[in-house]
């Protein structure tokens, strides 16, 4: 789950996680989570690009109201009465890690 003030910012903050998961799923070392700017400069091989794109399609990414609505929709679809949220966001260069919203 990645939440930000805009869908674009949420997608940017999720990019490092998508790339890390793509590396993991193709047998490469997952490594540390990149900062957004570093992830934006990283070129992935085609197999990893496809996995990262699927991660973005399957993750809950958006503004707080949109993400909340998606979680409710998924909970109703799967008939669950409890949801565990796992934040997946990175941060931008210069963000204080103790205060970064992501």
């Amino acid at each position: 789950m990645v939440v930000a003030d805009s869908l674009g910012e949420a997608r940017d903050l999720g990019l490092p996680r998508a790339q890390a998961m793509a590396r993991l799923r193709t047998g490469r070392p997952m490594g540390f989570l990149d900062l957004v700017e570093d992830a934006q400069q990283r070129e992935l091989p085609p197999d990893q690009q496809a996995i990262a794109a699927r991660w973005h399609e399957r993750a809950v990414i958006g503004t707080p109201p949109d993400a909340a609505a998606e979680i409710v929709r998924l909970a109703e679809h799967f008939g669950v009465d409890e949801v565990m949220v796992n934040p997946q966001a990175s941060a931008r260069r210069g963000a204080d890690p103790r205060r970064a919203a992501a």
Side-chain angles (χ1 to χ4, degrees), residues 2 8 11-12 34 37 42 45 60 63-64 68 70 86 98:
V2 182
R11 289 184 65 79
D12 286 351
D34 285 333
E37 294 84 357
R42 182 183 297 272
V60 175
T63 63
E70 180 65 5
N86 181 17
R98 296 167 296 168

Side-chain angles (χ1 to χ4, degrees), residues 1-4 7-26 30 33-34 36 39 44 46-62 70 74 85-91 102:
M1 176 174 185
V2 182
V3 177
L7 175 58
E9 180 65 6
R11 289 184 65 79
D12 286 351
L13 292 171
L15 180 62
R17 173 60 65 189
Q19 291 178 351
M21 293 308 297
R23 288 190 297 275
L24 178 69
R25 291 183 181 157
T26 55
M30 192 169 168
L33 198 59
D34 285 333
V36 171
L44 299 179
D47 61 334
Q48 290 182 24
Q49 289 176 13
I51 292 169
R54 280 195 304 276
W55 183 90
H56 270 103
E57 292 169 2
R58 293 179 179 161
V60 175
I61 300 173
E70 180 65 5
L74 288 168
V85 175
N86 181 17
Q88 298 286 311
S90 183

Side-chain angles (χ1 to χ4, degrees), residues 53-85:
R54 280 195 304 276
W55 183 90
H56 270 103
E57 292 169 2
R58 293 179 179 161
V60 175
I61 300 173
T63 63
D66 292 341
E70 180 65 5
I71 290 171
V72 169
R73 186 193 71 75
L74 288 168
E76 289 172 352
H77 175 78
F78 290 105
V80 299
D81 59 5
E82 180 180 19
V83 175
M84 295 178 72
V85 175

